[in-house]
Every structure is written in C-alpha cells, then in structure tokens.
Amino acid sequence: MALTRIAGLSLQAQKTFFIETFGCQMNFHDSEKVAGSLVLQGYRQVEAAEDADLILYNTCSIRDKAEQKVFHRLADFKRLQKEGKKFAVIGCVAQQEGERIFERAPHVSLVAGSSSYRSLPQLLVQIEQGERATGLNDRETSQTFETEFTARTNPHRGYITIIEGCDKFCAYCVVPYTRGRERSRTSQSVLEEARRIADSGLTEIQLLGQNVNSYRDPIGRASFAELLAEVGRVPGIRRVRFTTSHPRHFTRDIMEAIDTVPTLCDHVHLPVQSGSSQVLQAMQREYTREQYLERIAWIRAARHRSIAITTDMIVGFPGETEADFRQTMTLLDEVQFDGIFSFKYSPRPNTPALAMENAIPEEEKTARLAALNEKQREIQRPNYARHVGEIVEAMVEGYHPARGQIAGRSSQNKPVNFTIPEGSPPPAPGSYVPVRVTRAFPNSLAGELATESGVEPGKSLAEAPGPCSRI
Ligand code: 5AD
Ligand code: SF4
C-alpha cells in the first residue's frame, strides 16, 4: 500500500506549477496555501512560467490598475498554451469576473474565488481531464481554508490567516463581493499553526485578515485580543504582527494585550481612509474623525513603548470637497503617522460608491494624492530622524554584498540597513541584532551593528530570551 502510494506520488510529481501573486499579503499567503494544496496533489512548484504545466495567477481587484495586470499577463503568456500548458485565474478578479474570464481569455481552464480554495483538489482533477472548472459559488460559506501543508515562501515570517472575508461593505470596496462572508478559524487551530511555525524555526508571526479585530472564535470564547496575546506567548515566537485592523472594532483590550505581552510588535496599522467625518459617513466606515483620534490616543498611551502607527488613505472619493480634503491633510498633522499607503479612489464593480454623484476628476485626484504624499514626506523626515542615536533591535532579512549592508527591520516595521565591522561574518538571516542608528531617510534607517552592547557580530540572537522591541 505504502509502496503504491509512494510510486503514485513520484509519478504525479512530474506535474509542475508556477504561481504568480498580485495584491495584498492576504493574497500572498493564500498562494502559499494554494501551493501547499497543489504539492499534496502531487505537483511540484517551479520558478518560471515556461517550466510549468499549470500556470496560476492569484489576482487582485482592489483597484482597476491591479485588475488589469492579470489580463496583460494572460495575453503575454497565451503563446504557451500551444505547448499544452494550462492556465488558472484565482482570487479576487476570478470571483468578480467569473466565467467572463473564459470569454476574454479562452486559454484559461480554471477560474476560482478564494472561498472555493477548499475544493481545489476536485477542480484540479477536472482540468487534468481536459474540462473547464469553476469555483465561484462558495461566498456564503462559513468554512475557512485549512491546509495540511503550507508552502511558506517568506523565510523569516510565518503568516496565519485568522479570519477570512469581510462583512463591512465600505462603499468603495470590492472585497465583500470577492472574498465572501466573514468567517473565523478556531483559536485552537490558529494556535496549533503558531506552534508549528515556531517548531519550524521561524520566530515572527503575522496574523492576517481583512478585519482581524472582528475575529470571533467559532467554538471557544477567545476575542481577538486574547488570541493575539496567546500567539505572543507561544514559546520561540519573538515578534507578532497583525493586519488589518478596522478602527470601529479596535478595542482597548488590544492595547492591553500589547502592554502586557512584550512579543507583540510596536506597530499598529489602522486604516482611516479620510480625515473628514462627512466623507467617512459616505464611505460607510461607521466612525468619525473624533472616534478615530480617540483610538490613536489609546495607542499613543501605550505603557512601555512607542508604537508606530500607519494607515491607508483614499483621496478623491465621490463628493470629497476641498474642505474635506483639507481635513485629511490636517489629520496627518494631528496623528503624525509613521507611514501611509495612499490611493486615488478607483470605482469598483458592484459597490455602492459606483452610483454616487460628484465624481472627482482624475487630475484633481492626482493633485490631491501628490499633495498628501508631499505632506507625509515632511512628517516622516523628523519621525525617522528621531531614531538617530538610538539602538534598535533589527531582525536580519538579507545581505547586500555590493552595498556592504545588511537589511533588517525594526519592531516598528521600519527598514534598518546597517554595516558590520570589516571582516566579520554577516549575521544570519532571521537573527536579531542591536543596531546603532546613525542616519535617517524618509522611509528607512541606517546604522551599524552595536557591537559594544555585548553582542558578537555574526552571532544569532534568535534563541536569546527577551522581547522584540526593547534593547
Ligand atoms: N479605490 C482606491 N483605494 C481602495 N482601497 C480599497 N478599495 C479602494 C478603491 N475602490 C484601499 C483602501 C484599503 C486598501 C487596502 O486599499 O485604502 O484600506
Ligand atoms: Fe487582497 Fe483586496 Fe486585492 Fe483581494 S482585492 S487581493 S483582498 S487587496
């Protein structure tokens, strides 16, 4: 029996796949799980589309530009169909466009949204038999996508999806239509995965979800804050991050967890989208500027450390007046974000904002975006400069021999590039080292290994006890 299975597996292992991912971290992690499912089906992952029997595109439809990318890619690689290769479009564009994708790109065999990934093994069998397959009807499911194997590609950070889908229906956003209903995994399964990640030697975990703080344990009672704290206490884990939080459900107990569990990182990403309460109401965000600022005050009041705060902003939402936009600009002054991701509003299919009047002309959106980014650059300069002279703990992510620099990241999620004494070996990727910050740029810090702090260069601190944030 075992022999047959092994023989079967080795035969199937001839099949290869290549997966390209567009969009957010959630999508990147979905791809790691999809790849895991394919490996369990006997496929082998390859690094180039040309070498694969099956080419998958895991797509994003959050903005029009992201959506168009996959159609360009499909056109570019159409010629490979002649070699017998099969194509699959999965993720948000797949769910949004459904079978229309077959019309636009007839060489595609499989179209599946993220709520249908559980059915991938059956869908693969169908396409292997030369049929077309679709997985598009599972958006109402209450089940999550659990995989026996996840083909993790990030060598330093283990991602864990704790909640899938979104029930928020913000007026501009396509996600509730593409990712389906909100559904949480059990805390038991999340914690088991966290322990497996720690056992595999990774020391950093990032909890993922469209709205992580809407998390509800389907069988136990764990709130998001309790789950976060538990993950932070898993032996071997030194850094825990989470994204994305919705301000409406950002409750004080999350800050209490951060105050009491030192492995929870010094960073909160809290998308605000606009500084104007009128625009927030039109966006159906369910909080006002004042309520958002109240959450910021909680974060600023963290007991032991300074927490970096980043956000997402949309400019040019329908009806956004000059005065509304000024409110967004003054919010930047008031909060002093450590970083922002800013976007021009992009009309999306199915969303309520699509039918709204008073669309903002493209040139005006472009001008507002430029003004916003310019202001944020001014704010970030002193924000990053404040770190000069500090010793920050960096997790080593890579080595640039040409620049003679090691790339790392602080607990606040700021890139920290640093040098090491000549002749000493570079510290191991994934290790934690103290860096004396000597220079600051608007988006990164630079410095040198702080050897006199008692840490030998090149020596991994990964096993050393202690929190990620305080050195
Ligand atoms: N247009 C522009 N930006 C959008 N986002 C979501 N939907 C849209 C849209 N229709 C942005 C929001 C969100 C981030 C992931 O993408 O800022 O937080
Ligand atoms: Fe991620 Fe949203 Fe893009 Fe889907 S549409 S891939 S959920 S960012």
Side-chain angles (χ1 to χ4, degrees), residues 64 124 175 404 420-421:
D64 187 54
L124 288 170
V175 170
I420 51 175

Side-chain angles (χ1 to χ4, degrees), residues 149-160:
F149 173 62
T150 301
R152 296 192 181 277
T153 44
N154 189 310
H156 318 296
R157 185 181 285 174
Y159 291 102
I160 306 181

Side-chain angles (χ1 to χ4, degrees), residues 1-10:
M1 175 70 185
L3 263 181
T4 334
R5 267 190 54 206
I6 292 167
L9 252 183
S10 65

Side-chain angles (χ1 to χ4, degrees), residues 136-164:
L136 297 165
N137 300 320
D138 296 308
R139 277 179 302 171
E140 293 300 313
T141 183
S142 56
Q143 296 201 18
T144 51
F145 178 37
E146 308 265 345
T147 45
E148 268 175 65
F149 173 62
T150 301
R152 296 192 181 277
T153 44
N154 189 310
H156 318 296
R157 185 181 285 174
Y159 291 102
I160 306 181
T161 302
I162 62 166
I163 178 167
E164 294 176 20

Side-chain angles (χ1 to χ4, degrees), residues 62-63 172 273 312 314 343-346 348:
I62 197 97
R63 285 169 291 276
Y172 52 80
Q273 315 299 359
D312 294 347
I314 297 177
F343 311 101
K344 287 192 266 185
Y345 166 68
S346 167
R348 300 285 64 214

Side-chain angles (χ1 to χ4, degrees), residues 192-270:
E192 277 165 14
E193 190 169 350
R195 285 186 209 108
R196 279 201 302 275
I197 286 173
D199 289 346
S200 76
L202 295 180
T203 57
E204 181 172 314
I205 283 179
Q206 181 156 350
L207 303 181
L208 294 177
Q210 239 60 55
N211 289 303
V212 281
N213 45 357
S214 298
Y215 176 83
R216 288 276 163 281
D217 192 343
I219 47 173
R221 287 258 174 84
S223 65
F224 171 64
E226 285 161 345
L227 179 68
L228 184 63
E230 281 305 303
V231 172
R233 291 191 183 107
V234 168
I237 293 304
R238 295 191 43 156
R239 283 186 176 181
V240 179
R241 303 183 184 279
F242 55 97
T243 191
T244 286
S245 300
H246 193 293
R248 169 124 190 124
H249 302 288
F250 193 87
T251 43
R252 290 197 92 134
D253 56 353
I254 299 174
M255 285 316 299
E256 273 155 34
I258 291 177
D259 276 340
T260 44
V261 183
T263 51
L264 305 186
C265 281
D266 306 351
H267 176 213
V268 173
H269 182 64
L270 198 62

Side-chain angles (χ1 to χ4, degrees), residues 261-447:
V261 183
T263 51
L264 305 186
C265 281
D266 306 351
H267 176 213
V268 173
H269 182 64
L270 198 62
V272 63
Q273 315 299 359
S274 169
S276 151
S277 292
Q278 278 77 17
V279 173
L280 290 172
Q281 191 177 15
M283 287 177 164
Q284 297 166 27
R285 290 289 288 176
E286 298 184 343
Y287 55 85
T288 60
R289 174 190 176 103
E290 289 67 35
Q291 286 166 330
Y292 182 81
L293 286 171
E294 189 184 28
R295 270 96 182 134
I296 296 296
W298 298 344
I299 302 171
R300 294 272 179 247
R303 277 208 290 277
H304 311 293
R305 41 196 165 135
S306 158
I307 308 289
I309 305 175
T310 54
T311 200
D312 294 347
M313 289 284 196
I314 297 177
V315 298
F317 186 75
E320 183 190 69
T321 62
E322 278 290 338
D324 289 322
F325 178 62
R326 272 199 300 278
Q327 295 260 297
T328 293
M329 296 285 268
T330 58
L331 190 82
L332 292 192
D333 283 323
E334 212 160 319
V335 179
Q336 300 278 310
F337 291 106
D338 296 78
I340 66 169
F341 297 91
S342 53
F343 311 101
K344 287 192 266 185
Y345 166 68
S346 167
R348 300 285 64 214
N350 305 316
T351 58
L354 197 60
M356 287 183 185
E357 291 172 357
N358 300 322
I360 307 300
E362 195 56 31
E363 315 81 71
E364 185 57 34
K365 284 188 208 169
T366 305
R368 289 182 189 178
L369 186 70
L372 187 78
N373 287 338
E374 180 52 38
K375 177 165 220 41
Q376 180 59 22
R377 248 192 309 277
E378 283 165 26
I379 288 170
Q380 260 172 245
R381 232 180 278 278
N383 176 314
Y384 272 64
R386 238 191 343 259
H387 294 287
V388 173
E390 281 179 10
I391 292 184
V392 299
E393 185 184 57
M395 193 230 240
V396 176
E397 292 187 340
Y399 179 44
H400 301 299
R403 280 195 262 151
Q405 264 188 340
I406 315 285
R409 193 166 287 275
S410 72
S411 171
Q412 287 199 340
N413 210 29
K414 292 177 176 159
V416 184
N417 300 312
F418 60 98
T419 54
I420 51 175
E422 229 180 290
S424 53
S431 61
Y432 295 81
V433 294
V435 174
R436 182 182 312 286
V437 178
T438 53
R439 289 183 73 187
F441 303 93
N443 289 303
S444 67
L445 302 172

